[in-house]
Amino acid sequence: MFSQFSEHALHQYPNIRLPKDSLIGHALPLFGGKVSAGFPSPADDYVEKSLDLNQFLIQKPAATFFVKAQGDSMLGAGIHHDDILIVDRSIEATPGKIVVCALNGELTVKRLAQTRQGWCLQPENPAYPDIPIQDELDMVIWGVVTNVIHSV
Amino acid sequence: MSDLIALVDCNNFYVSCERVFRPDLIGKPVAVLSNNDGCIVARSQEVKALGIKMGVPLHQVADLVKQHRIQLFSSNYTLYADMSQRVMNTLASFAPSMEVYSIDEGFLDLSNVYPCQHNPEAYAKRIKHTVWRHTGIPVCVGMGPTKTLAKLANFAAKKWPHTGGVLDLSNLVRRHKLMAIVPVGEVWGIGRKLSQRLNALGINSVLDLARQDPNYMQQQFSIVVARTVQELNGIGCMELEAITPAKQQIIASRSFGEKLLTFEQLARAIADYASRASEKLRRQHSLCSHIGIFIHTNPFSQTDAHYYQTAGRRLTQATNDVRLISQTATRLLEEIYKSGYKYHKGGVILSDIRPASQPAQIDLFESPGTLLSSQLLMQTLDAINQRFPQSTVIAAKGFDQRWKAKADHVTPHYTTNWRQLPKAYCK
């Protein structure tokens, strides 16, 4: 009951609303087999279902936000300036995850790490310093980055 | 009837929405302004602590704003609507049945929810924590065997922080203890006038009201008050509303940003309101048969001459076509517009609404193709407006936008516009 409602279950509860899709879905039919020159093989399988990026990228729409990365401190993780990050607030922030956190009141992207000295916020660029997480640090985890949208 | 109903209510909702994307403002005084930046419609705890009341005109507290550096925001309804959907969607996973009561309140039917039965308050704490985690919005949860008690519990959970923001009034002893110290005016449905009349009868606390005979209350006041007494005693009289009924009247109106003087200026504003109202009509798949408009000067002005006028027209055929609605509204404006006045506000009212699917009376003079082509045009228009909001302009509108409401402190549409995403710094 506490996992997501399936589409079927949702129809029973007309009063439950889903957030609007932020992405305009692009459906691409997938061809399941080889199409050789001439006639398609009767053994080929045409996949019926269309591919939807929303389904692939977003597990919890209500808890998922998009933010725009600014700066280059996370280049090593494949995050460039102006990339769009998909951030899921429902995912637990564990060591190794890339997080968005409110650092001194500003949304900041870092990798969460656990060292022998304790917890730490690390950049992915040697030009930037580690930030140890101590009691006095004004830091709140805002969400976990799950995907990066990078235009080429 | 249900055994256990929860009311989940967001704390300072508009302010909380803004703070999700401005974590630097947590703990700082923040207020959100009404349309036209006229009054304060949402306050953070810090602003409440300064004694600034809900709905106070901004100019009245301008000094306090400056002195305490209160951060002001114009209302960002696009953002609030989206955040509200997120909160409601998150709540939906906690109960099989829920009622979205307002933009920031929802009732959950927790009867027979297995994990809740053993320890309802622990479950409520989980709800509160999950909403905060997933959406960033802080909420309070009140619970009881009826909606009225759930509302009362929520009020207490919010007012007394030591509750942890969660309170269950199922237990009679605890319920009566609370009701004895809360004034009767705090009960859902008991407004100021009613509570004064109750006080005159010696009914001062919620407990006093709960102890009244429902029949006596019905005689003295109304069936609604009688039901409230029943509800306060744990006897449910109100089901969760499963379906939001379609609006029976649609009003689009706003105060003008600047006083409008000429017919042309008013016509542009009225055309825009007609456009918005007809959009709402189409969204709920309805047609209307009556169109009305109103215009008036500022009723509170000491210096401006006063003028208030309305006009309405019944249509021979129900419609949701923006062209017909807009044209009719403009013609109505011709009937009531008088020059020499400084107009402060106007609006379009669509009524006599019925579902588009119901069979209509056929107008002998209407050609059959018209309705279909009108529908296709409306669909196209709606699709364009959804992709590029407010981009389509009907002839009367024009580009002079002086009548548009003032909004000096707008915040981005963080969650609904690709060009206005919040920034996350890599530094």
Side-chain angles (χ1 to χ4, degrees):
Chain A
M1 186 193 290
F2 309 108
S3 54
Q4 283 175 291
F5 276 102
S6 65
E7 288 293 335
H8 168 71
L10 224 43
H11 289 310
Q12 302 169 46
Y13 309 121
N15 203 39
I16 295 174
R17 303 185 222 151
L18 290 174
K20 282 196 270 284
D21 286 327
S22 306
L23 287 168
I24 298 165
H26 277 290
L28 300 169
L30 179 68
F31 285 75
K34 283 190 253 201
V35 181
S36 45
F39 301 105
S41 160
D44 277 351
D45 260 300
Y46 288 88
V47 175
E48 304 292 342
K49 208 161 90 114
S50 298
L51 293 180
D52 178 359
L53 266 180
N54 275 319
Q55 273 191 333
F56 181 68
L57 293 172
I58 300 171
Q59 264 62 62
K60 277 228 154 46
T64 302
F65 295 85
F66 301 99
V67 302
K68 200 152 221 227
Q70 304 284 275
D72 60 1
S73 71
M74 297 299 286
L75 273 179
I79 296 175
H80 303 74
H81 181 80
D82 275 351
D83 284 353
I84 292 178
L85 309 180
I86 301 182
V87 184
D88 189 332
R89 286 182 64 107
S90 70
I91 296 180
E92 196 191 335
T94 51
K97 292 214 153 73
I98 297 181
V99 297
V100 172
C101 53
L103 190 59
N104 300 318
E106 199 174 53
L107 293 180
T108 311
V109 190
K110 294 284 174 199
R111 194 182 290 278
L112 190 62
Q114 196 170 29
T115 63
R116 251 179 295 131
Q117 287 80 32
W119 293 84
C120 183
L121 294 172
Q122 291 176 339
E124 284 276 350
N125 184 328
Y128 295 85
D130 287 5
I131 300 174
I133 300 177
Q134 283 150 358
D135 281 337
E136 324 84 60
L137 186 68
D138 177 11
M139 194 282 284
V140 179
I141 299 282
W142 199 85
V144 170
V145 180
T146 56
N147 294 279
V148 182
I149 302 174
H150 175 77
S151 294
V152 292
Chain B
M1 281 293 154
S2 326
D3 294 328
L4 189 61
I5 297 184
L7 175 69
V8 182
D9 162 301
C10 304
N11 303 347
N12 311 325
F13 183 57
Y14 296 168
V15 167
S16 296
C17 286
E18 304 284 354
R19 276 177 166 168
V20 172
F21 306 95
R22 291 287 307 274
D24 56 308
L25 293 176
I26 295 175
K28 305 251 169 59
V30 178
V32 175
L33 305 171
S34 63
N35 274 326
N36 222 17
D37 286 355
C39 310
I40 290 183
V41 293
R43 307 155 293 159
S44 69
Q45 287 310 119
E46 302 76 17
V47 172
K48 286 181 182 171
L50 291 171
I52 294 179
K53 297 249 177 282
M54 172 67 93
V56 67
L58 181 60
H59 61 82
Q60 272 183 26
V61 294
D63 290 336
L64 274 173
V65 167
K66 213 169 167 184
Q67 185 189 348
H68 296 276
R69 283 191 252 211
I70 299 177
Q71 174 77 51
L72 297 175
F73 291 124
S74 303
S75 29
N76 186 345
Y77 290 111
T78 313
L79 177 67
Y80 309 152
D82 183 75
M83 294 300 282
S84 173
Q85 282 196 325
R86 290 168 181 270
V87 169
M88 298 308 165
N89 187 268
T90 306
L91 289 177
S93 62
F94 285 97
S97 167
M98 88 178 263
E99 173 190 336
V100 176
Y101 180 67
S102 71
I103 197 172
D104 66 348
E105 290 165 285
F107 286 104
L108 298 173
D109 186 350
L110 295 178
S111 344
N112 308 314
V113 172
Y114 176 65
C116 179
Q117 278 162 357
H118 173 63
N119 189 341
E121 269 180 7
Y123 193 68
K125 285 216 164 89
R126 234 167 80 194
I127 294 176
K128 181 175 155 68
H129 176 77
T130 305
V131 172
W132 162 257
R133 256 299 284 280
H134 288 205
T135 67
I137 303 290
V139 305
C140 285
V141 184
M143 292 177 287
T146 65
K147 278 180 164 180
T148 307
L149 283 171
K151 266 241 173 194
L152 186 66
N154 185 288
F155 160 79
K158 209 169 281 259
K159 188 173 165 73
W160 288 295
H162 69 77
T163 57
V166 154
L167 186 63
D168 179 11
L169 288 182
S170 300
N171 176 276
L172 269 173
V173 172
R174 178 193 256 178
R175 189 193 307 168
H176 288 172
K177 242 170 119 177
L178 177 72
M179 296 208 286
I181 58 171
V182 174
V184 73
E186 295 296 350
V187 173
W188 189 26
I190 308 286
R192 203 165 47 90
K193 285 218 174 87
L194 199 48
S195 79
Q196 280 172 354
R197 288 171 62 194
L198 286 167
N199 292 341
L201 290 175
I203 302 169
N204 297 305
S205 71
V206 180
L207 189 58
D208 291 337
L209 181 61
R211 289 201 166 129
Q212 299 299 316
D213 171 28
N215 292 319
Y216 175 60
M217 287 290 105
Q218 183 173 352
Q219 277 168 28
Q220 291 290 314
F221 298 100
S222 69
I223 181 90
V224 177
V225 179
R227 283 203 193 113
T228 300
V229 172
Q230 302 272 52
E231 287 242 324
L232 285 173
N233 285 292
I235 302 163
C237 302
M238 298 183 232
E239 296 273 17
L240 259 59
E241 299 268 342
I243 301 163
T244 347
K247 288 219 213 316
Q248 290 314 304
Q249 196 179 60
I250 292 177
I251 303 178
S253 89
R254 288 245 178 99
S255 307
F256 307 133
E258 257 182 44
K259 298 280 180 288
L260 300 187
L261 305 171
T262 69
F263 177 80
E264 287 70 33
Q265 290 169 337
L266 276 170
R268 269 183 227 120
I270 292 290
D272 184 74
Y273 301 155
S275 177
R276 276 199 282 119
S278 62
E279 212 181 291
K280 287 191 214 175
L281 193 60
R282 287 194 297 281
R283 220 178 299 139
Q284 61 175 59
H285 305 292
S286 302
L287 305 171
C288 74
S289 296
H290 189 277
I291 299 171
I293 71 163
F294 66 88
I295 52 174
H296 64 78
T297 54
N298 186 350
F300 300 112
S301 167
Q302 309 280 15
T303 50
D304 297 340
H306 293 292
Y307 181 74
Y308 181 104
Q309 197 53 264
T310 63
R313 182 167 300 172
R314 162 148 259 105
L315 303 172
T316 51
Q317 185 154 19
T319 184
N320 59 13
D321 188 326
V322 66
R323 294 167 301 174
L324 178 58
I325 293 174
S326 194
Q327 270 167 31
T328 310
T330 308
R331 240 172 260 140
L332 288 171
L333 182 64
E334 284 166 17
E335 285 173 25
I336 62 176
Y337 171 77
K338 272 200 162 72
S339 68
Y341 290 97
K342 297 186 188 157
Y343 291 97
H344 163 80
K345 189 168 171 174
V348 169
I349 306 175
L350 307 179
S351 43
D352 198 357
I353 291 174
R354 63 161 175 78
S357 50
Q358 267 177 32
Q361 244 182 340
I362 300 175
D363 182 348
L364 283 175
F365 302 99
E366 180 95 293
S367 60
T370 322
L371 187 59
L372 180 60
S373 71
S374 155
Q375 279 174 6
L376 288 176
L377 177 62
M378 287 308 102
Q379 276 171 31
T380 311
L381 210 65
D382 286 339
I384 296 175
N385 270 330
Q386 198 178 35
R387 185 99 167 75
F388 305 103
Q390 297 178 352
S391 61
T392 54
V393 171
I394 302 299
K397 246 175 29 168
F399 294 103
D400 178 356
Q401 304 276 283
R402 252 181 300 169
W403 51 266
K404 270 227 163 101
K406 190 157 75 125
D408 291 335
H409 311 276
V410 285
T411 45
H413 294 175
Y414 296 113
T415 59
T416 49
N417 187 322
W418 288 110
R419 283 184 294 276
Q420 297 183 28
L421 296 182
K423 296 192 165 66
Y425 294 94
C426 303
K427 58 177 188 184

